[in-house]
Amino acid sequence: MSNLTIGHLAKKASVGVETIRFYERKGLIQQPPKPSSGGYRSYSSAEVERVRFIRSAQQLGFSLREIDELLSLEADPDADCQDVHAKAKHKLEEVEQKLKRLRAVRSALKSIITTCPKKGRAAGRCTILQALNTKNNR
Amino acid sequence: MSNLTIGHLAKKASVGVETIRFYERKGLIQQPPKPSSGGYRSYSSAEVERVRFIRSAQQLGFSLREIDELLSLEADPDADCQDVHAKAKHKLEEVEQKLKRLRAVRSALKSIITTCPKKGRAAGRCTILQALNTKNNR
DNA sequence: CTTGACCCTGTACTGTGGTACGGAGTTTAG
DNA sequence: CTAAACTCCGTACCACAGTACAGGGTCAAG
């Protein structure tokens, strides 16, 4: 809960200051209350995790819009949350699909690595597409 | 190996015709030999898989440049392939990282789903960030 | 009480990954 | 043989996700 300036937040989350403000404009981060008229933004250290999650999720192929949806998922005891449940389930299915495809890419890469030894010559020609389509991978 | 026009390829790969030409300009697909002066592009059906892989890899957070690198990985028996080996290993590490993070997102989503039942009220407040940071997930 | 490092808002610019269109030529079904 | 449907190349345009100023204000050290 240490009070952070935008510069400190940006540094801790390994992004630029402009990126923080950009996320704020997009609604991914709510603008922290500034000491009214002219002061600076003041962030709690919890925001660091939020920004890191955004970067991480982007690397996994989620758009900022989708990340916003993920971050909005909130099981609230004071509200009936059927909607949240449905959204979470949908996202979970997407994630399972990504996992599946990533595992396929992984096994294709492994196949290339073994087919192509560090030294000497490969046992045969092998591209990532061939490795993917060879269903006896895994 | 059936000869496909660009329109057929696009349809089979579920992308637009313009996208195929765009990939060609980017070097992700090599321009097929056209019947010299004025003819149409003619693709083999293997290209369908190539385009599908591109779309799939994009969903996993790879840029077109990275996808080009993946597709260029080729264990060639007629060349020493130390370089390919190193690149593949690097990509594999990236993929392992993605898998790790995706599994974390998955367990956070599952946690939200159980915390937030379809009917009635949740057991407690729970956001995806809280679910991620609760290390007793999985 | 000034100087330098930071922050403010706002607008403009950039790179990536397409998408749309204009003005042609080609192919194929009737 | 003609008309529709498709293709060609080139250029312009678009959304997304930042990145870079410009022209100020603020704050803390010396």
Side-chain angles (χ1 to χ4, degrees):
Chain A
M1 316 307 174
S2 58
N3 274 17
L4 301 171
T5 65
I6 195 170
H8 292 140
L9 171 58
K11 182 157 281 184
K12 286 204 179 196
S14 310
V15 301
V17 166
E18 310 290 339
T19 304
I20 302 290
R21 284 202 277 261
F22 175 74
Y23 290 164
E24 189 179 295
R25 284 200 293 282
K26 289 287 166 177
L28 289 161
I29 294 173
Q30 55 271 54
Q31 171 147 6
K34 287 176 300 177
S36 74
S37 78
Y40 291 172
R41 288 170 180 81
S42 172
Y43 297 91
S44 85
S45 59
E47 302 302 301
V48 179
E49 283 317 303
R50 195 174 177 92
V51 177
R52 285 197 183 138
F53 175 78
I54 295 169
R55 303 310 298 222
S56 181
Q58 280 185 301
Q59 300 270 309
L60 299 174
F62 293 103
S63 69
L64 291 187
R65 179 181 302 274
E66 288 172 320
I67 292 165
D68 193 31
E69 285 168 23
L70 282 170
L71 285 168
S72 303
L73 290 176
E74 188 170 359
D76 185 343
D78 298 335
D80 189 70
C81 51
Q82 187 161 350
D83 183 43
V84 170
H85 185 94
K87 279 186 189 165
K89 226 170 168 184
H90 178 69
K91 286 291 171 196
L92 181 57
E93 274 157 32
E94 280 177 27
V95 167
E96 300 278 18
Q97 275 307 307
K98 287 190 192 219
L99 278 166
K100 212 174 197 172
R101 291 197 298 245
L102 259 186
R103 283 192 294 257
V105 170
R106 176 176 61 181
S107 80
L109 282 172
K110 281 182 176 170
S111 162
I112 284 178
I113 288 170
T114 57
T115 307
C116 169
K118 228 182 307 213
K119 274 172 167 271
R121 300 184 179 289
R125 188 172 286 269
C126 169
T127 67
I128 194 163
L129 283 178
Q130 282 165 26
L132 269 180
N133 288 331
T134 307
K135 278 301 164 221
N136 58 351
N137 53 24
R138 82 134 294 110
Chain B
M1 312 308 179
S2 58
N3 274 17
L4 301 172
T5 65
I6 195 169
H8 291 139
L9 172 58
K11 183 159 278 182
K12 286 204 178 195
S14 310
V15 301
V17 165
E18 310 290 340
T19 303
I20 303 291
R21 283 203 277 262
F22 175 74
Y23 290 165
E24 189 179 295
R25 284 200 293 282
K26 289 286 167 178
L28 289 160
I29 294 174
Q30 55 273 50
Q31 171 147 5
K34 287 175 300 177
S36 74
S37 80
Y40 290 171
R41 290 169 180 80
S42 172
Y43 298 91
S44 86
S45 59
E47 301 303 300
V48 179
E49 283 317 304
R50 195 175 177 92
V51 177
R52 285 198 182 137
F53 175 78
I54 295 169
R55 304 310 298 222
S56 180
Q58 280 185 302
Q59 300 270 309
L60 299 173
F62 293 102
S63 68
L64 290 187
R65 179 180 302 274
E66 289 172 320
I67 292 165
D68 193 30
E69 285 167 24
L70 283 171
L71 286 168
S72 304
L73 290 176
E74 186 169 0
D76 184 343
D78 297 334
D80 189 72
C81 52
Q82 187 161 350
D83 183 45
V84 170
H85 184 95
K87 278 186 189 162
K89 223 166 172 190
H90 179 69
K91 285 292 171 195
L92 181 57
E93 274 158 33
E94 281 177 27
V95 167
E96 300 279 17
Q97 276 306 308
K98 288 190 191 216
L99 277 166
K100 212 174 197 172
R101 290 198 299 246
L102 260 185
R103 282 193 294 259
V105 170
R106 176 177 61 180
S107 81
L109 282 171
K110 282 183 176 170
S111 163
I112 284 177
I113 288 169
T114 57
T115 307
C116 168
K118 229 182 306 213
K119 273 173 166 270
R121 301 185 178 288
R125 188 173 288 268
C126 170
T127 67
I128 195 164
L129 282 178
Q130 282 165 26
L132 270 179
N133 289 331
T134 307
K135 278 301 165 221
N136 58 350
N137 53 25
R138 83 133 295 112

